[in-house]
Structures are given as C-alpha cells and as structure tokens.
Amino acid sequence: MSFTADRLILFGATGDLAQRMLLPSLCALDADQLIAPDLKIIGTARSDMDDAAFRNFAREALEKYLPADRRGSMAGFLNRLSYQPLDATTLEGYEELAAKVDRTGKGIAIFLSTAPNLFEPTIAGLKHAGLADGDVRIALEKPLGTDLASSRDIMDAVASAFDEDRTYRIDHYLGKETVQNLLALRFANILFEPVWNAQYVDHVQITVGETVGLEGRVAFYDDAGALRDMVQNHMLQLLALVAMEPPTSFDATAVRDEKVKVLRALRQVEAAETVTGQYRTGAITGRSVPGYDEELGKESNTETFVAIKAHVDNWRWKGVPFYLRTGKRLPKRVTEIVVQFRCLPHSIFADKGAKTQPNRLVIGIQPEENIHLSMMAKMPGLDREGIRLRSVPLDITLPDAFTGTHRRIAYERLLLDLIEGDQTLFVRRDEVEAQWQWVDGIREAWDESAEAPKNYAAGTWGPSAAIALAERDGVSWHD
C-alpha cells in the first residue's frame, strides 16, 4: 500500500526496546531530516503519564543511548511526541488512543512490540477503535509465537485486520548495514557469483555469539532457548541471504520469493546433527560469572547454546554443509558468516615445496563490520630453497571505507521503511512459517532423543561436542 505515514504509534513505548533502539533511531532520523516535519509520534503503554512526562522519559533515554552528535535539535524531536496510557488487554482505552492519533492525516504506521499473548487483544482493540482500516500498516516485533501453531494463531489474528501488504514482520538483523552489504557483495559484483555454489564452496559457517547471560530476560529465555531465540529468526535469515538465488530485482516480492525457496529447501535435521549446551560458572573477560541455573534460580533443561549441521537440498547447494552455532556466555560478542572455498584441484607449486590453503571469505556483521578475503600470495625471496606461499588478507573495514557517514542503528532503516511503506527488509508470512516448520522438526527430534544439554564453562565456545560436530567432517570452527 503506497502512502507515507504522518502518524506513528509505538506500542510498548516505555519498554527497553523503545528506550535503547526506537526513540534513539527516530531522533537520529529527525536530526538527519529523513522524516517529514509533520510526522507525529504517539507512544502508548500501561504506564500512567501525560505528554510532558513521556517527553521527559524520552529525553532521558536519548541522553543515555544516543551519541550527542546524532541528536540534532532534540527539542524539535521531543515536540513530535505525545502519549496515551493503555491497557492492551481490554477494549477500553482504544477509542481515546484513536482520538489522540487523529485519523485526519495521510496515514498511520503502528509499531507493535508486545508479549505474544497480547497480540490478539491488541488487534481486537485496534479494530474496535477504527485503527486498522484504510491507510494503516503495522510492524510486528518478535517473538511471533513459540512454534508453528502458535505463530499461525498470532498471524491469523493480525490477518483478520491487516492484509499481508500492510503487515511488516521485523527481524532487526535485516536492518544491519553489513547484512544488506551481503546482497551487494553477491549481486553487485561478478567476481563471486560464478563460484557461489557447491562446485567451489566447501562449507559455510554462521556464528552468533553473545557474552551476556539472561540480562533480565529470565522468563522469556527459559521458555524459548537458543534455538527459538536466535536460530528460528536471525540465523535462518542470514542463511537464506547467503544461499538464495539472484532475485529478478531489488524489491520486496522478488527478494522474499528467493529467500522462502531456500527455507523450504532446508533438509530436516536429525538429533545427531545438533549439539545443545548450557553454560556453567566461568569467566568472561577475566570476570567471574554464574552458571545458567544460578542466574535462573532453578535447574532447567533449556539450551543456551546450539550447533547445527544443516543442508539446503537444491541444485546450487547440494552436499554443502551449513554449520550454525549460537550461544550465550561465549568468549566474545560476534556475528559472522564464513564461506570456505574448496582446495585447489591441482597445485603447480607443490613440486617446489609450497603448500596452498583454500580461500576463505569472512563477513563480519557485529561488533565489527568488515569483509575479509584470504588469498594465497608468494612470500618475497629468491626461492633457492623452494617457493613459499602464504595466505594474506584482503580487508574491507566498512566504517573506514565510507568515512564521514554515520554508523546507523538497524532500527533507523526499518522504522523509515515502515513509515514509507517498503517491505523489502521485512519478513513475509510464508518465510516465518517455513522457519518454524524446520525448527519444530529439530525440537521434535530432541524430544525423541531426550538428551539433556551438555555443560560448558562460561567464556568458552560451547561443549566439546560442538567442535566434534564439525571436525568429524574435517572442518574447524572459525574462532
């Protein structure tokens, strides 16, 4: 639906996401004059406060989480803000919210960040107040359910009020600059596409490592675990972007059509192709940290680490393993993709004593945004004792390559796309369902095997079985 919204409703406007990401992102967009002067932002949550109190709340969040050089005229941004208290579980209050929003504008964008059990009553309230009809679109922040069935319930509730072309499902990883650069790397350069297939690629690794533990997410995380929290959304989206066929164009339908083909081609994983773990007491950057059960306050079989050997059964990737791993309390915070190419079929330098190593492409997403390609080069010398070759890096550090540009928060792009109506970096319903179907199959395999997560010390790269998962194929994790 083509319109640029001039009203933005933020559900959960006093929550952690709003403080850390949403309000700073909107203020930064305002500072760069990327949102129209007439855009009004209406926050809503349970907290009882008026417009002035919400603006003070927003000011404190911006001073804490947004660098001073990105705030612009903060007073001008704060004047955009207003607030309406709301209990999302009852229809009472939605009419007052509608009056605050004022339907006489050009269009409304809604950002819904709420617990899964509040999706249905919130949608009912929006319908009741006339906030779901006409030029209105809605963005949905995860979690979108806990399995395929609950996800479908949520999406059916949303679909009762919002068509698919007005529904924007968020995966904030897709807003990261380096993730989008993955598309540019593949489809704006002729260099890689001819070798981006099973003939030349040995394997792919995707790692999402966190140093943090529960960090206030006790109830949610113990119900979710690493598989639902990270693999079902972020990691599968990264895998889809790596493995997808070239889309016909860079628009929402073409890009998402190719991603969903990859997700549907994922082979069902057996329990033996996965490793789960749970961290115990250890040390992160020299600081002692408690184990998961100590943080939780009880024993639990929830996995805080998972490693998976996956396959995409299509023409391009048949036989190429995709190794996924993610976990909490790992040695460093990192998100990266490693494309390991095959060994040379024949080395002309072998008779001269030189050893070659396969090329490797490493795409760093966070905390450092970079692209690193290892290439074989001859070491200087007269070669009287044989030719010596060494792997040397070709590095592109993206912030350095584009000096003078801001390092943007991922939500800046996603909020701007929501306001303007571009769905390219949002997830379509069939993608979500394909992701859940694959993840549910893994959980069923775990239930049948009834194997408890293996212990690993905080500050290590997970259980030793995760190393063995790759090494039995002759593969080493890129640490």
Side-chain angles (χ1 to χ4, degrees), residues 347-357 376-378 385-390:
S347 172
I348 66 172
F349 303 105
D351 292 342
K352 299 294 185 179
K355 295 182 179 180
T356 59
Q357 298 176 18
M376 295 305 298
K378 177 185 173 298
E385 297 179 357
I387 293 176
R388 293 176 298 167
L389 301 178
R390 192 176 75 184

Side-chain angles (χ1 to χ4, degrees), residues 144-190:
L144 298 178
T146 57
D147 54 18
L148 179 58
S150 60
S151 178
R152 280 177 170 165
D153 288 342
I154 289 172
M155 290 189 289
D156 285 345
V158 175
S160 70
F162 294 91
D163 300 331
E164 183 64 30
D165 65 354
R166 294 193 293 140
T167 304
Y168 292 60
R169 298 173 192 85
I170 289 175
D171 186 326
H172 74 268
Y173 265 50
L174 298 182
K176 292 180 180 293
E177 197 68 49
T178 323
V179 173
Q180 296 157 54
N181 243 309
L182 175 58
L183 294 176
L185 182 76
R186 287 196 56 194
F187 304 128
N189 300 286
I190 200 169

Side-chain angles (χ1 to χ4, degrees), residues 28 56 79 97 105 147 157 159 185 190-191 210 236 268 273 313 315 317 337 355 380 414:
N56 287 333
N79 285 334
L97 176 63
D147 54 18
L185 182 76
I190 200 169
L191 175 66
E210 298 181 281
L236 286 184
Q268 193 54 62
E273 297 173 306
D313 284 340
W315 186 286
W317 297 109
I337 299 165
K355 295 182 179 180
L414 298 176

Side-chain angles (χ1 to χ4, degrees), residues 157-369:
V158 175
S160 70
F162 294 91
D163 300 331
E164 183 64 30
D165 65 354
R166 294 193 293 140
T167 304
Y168 292 60
R169 298 173 192 85
I170 289 175
D171 186 326
H172 74 268
Y173 265 50
L174 298 182
K176 292 180 180 293
E177 197 68 49
T178 323
V179 173
Q180 296 157 54
N181 243 309
L182 175 58
L183 294 176
L185 182 76
R186 287 196 56 194
F187 304 128
N189 300 286
I190 200 169
L191 175 66
F192 293 109
E193 188 57 28
V195 297
W196 207 264
N197 54 56
Q199 184 177 353
Y200 295 100
V201 175
D202 181 78
H203 68 271
V204 177
Q205 299 178 28
I206 302 176
T207 296
V208 179
E210 298 181 281
T211 57
V212 298
L214 291 179
E215 304 293 306
R217 303 173 73 214
V218 175
F220 165 76
Y221 194 87
D222 197 52
D223 288 338
L227 183 68
R228 289 175 173 140
D229 186 43
M230 277 292 181
V231 177
Q232 184 274 331
N233 41 77
H234 304 326
M235 299 192 77
L236 286 184
Q237 283 293 315
L238 294 178
L239 186 153
L241 291 174
V242 171
M244 66 190 280
E245 295 295 321
T248 56
S249 63
F250 189 63
D251 69 24
T253 299
V255 170
R256 298 192 294 181
D257 281 350
E258 298 305 332
K259 283 197 296 173
V260 79
K261 289 177 187 176
V262 172
L263 296 169
R264 288 173 175 166
L266 282 169
R267 183 191 306 172
Q268 193 54 62
V269 174
E270 299 177 1
E273 297 173 306
T274 70
V275 174
T276 60
Q278 188 181 101
Y279 64 83
R280 289 293 179 260
T281 302
I284 302 289
T285 61
R287 179 176 60 89
S288 178
V289 295
Y292 180 78
D293 52 349
E294 296 174 79
E295 285 191 78
L296 189 63
K298 63 178 182 180
E299 293 185 355
S300 170
N301 277 333
T302 297
E303 80 284 356
T304 63
F305 174 95
V306 62
I308 302 171
K309 179 183 176 182
H311 287 88
V312 179
D313 284 340
N314 62 16
W315 186 286
R316 182 182 290 261
W317 297 109
K318 185 67 174 179
V320 177
F322 285 71
Y323 298 95
L324 316 179
R325 66 171 173 174
T326 183
K328 288 189 173 295
R329 294 298 191 199
L330 299 187
K332 61 182 178 180
R333 175 176 173 259
V334 62
T335 299
E336 69 178 15
I337 299 165
V338 177
V339 179
Q340 179 72 55
F341 293 95
R342 295 190 182 278
C343 296
L344 286 172
H346 172 71
S347 172
I348 66 172
F349 303 105
D351 292 342
K352 299 294 185 179
K355 295 182 179 180
T356 59
Q357 298 176 18
N359 304 121
R360 170 181 283 180
L361 179 67
V362 180
I363 303 165
I365 295 171
Q366 67 179 17
E368 301 299 326
E369 298 178 348

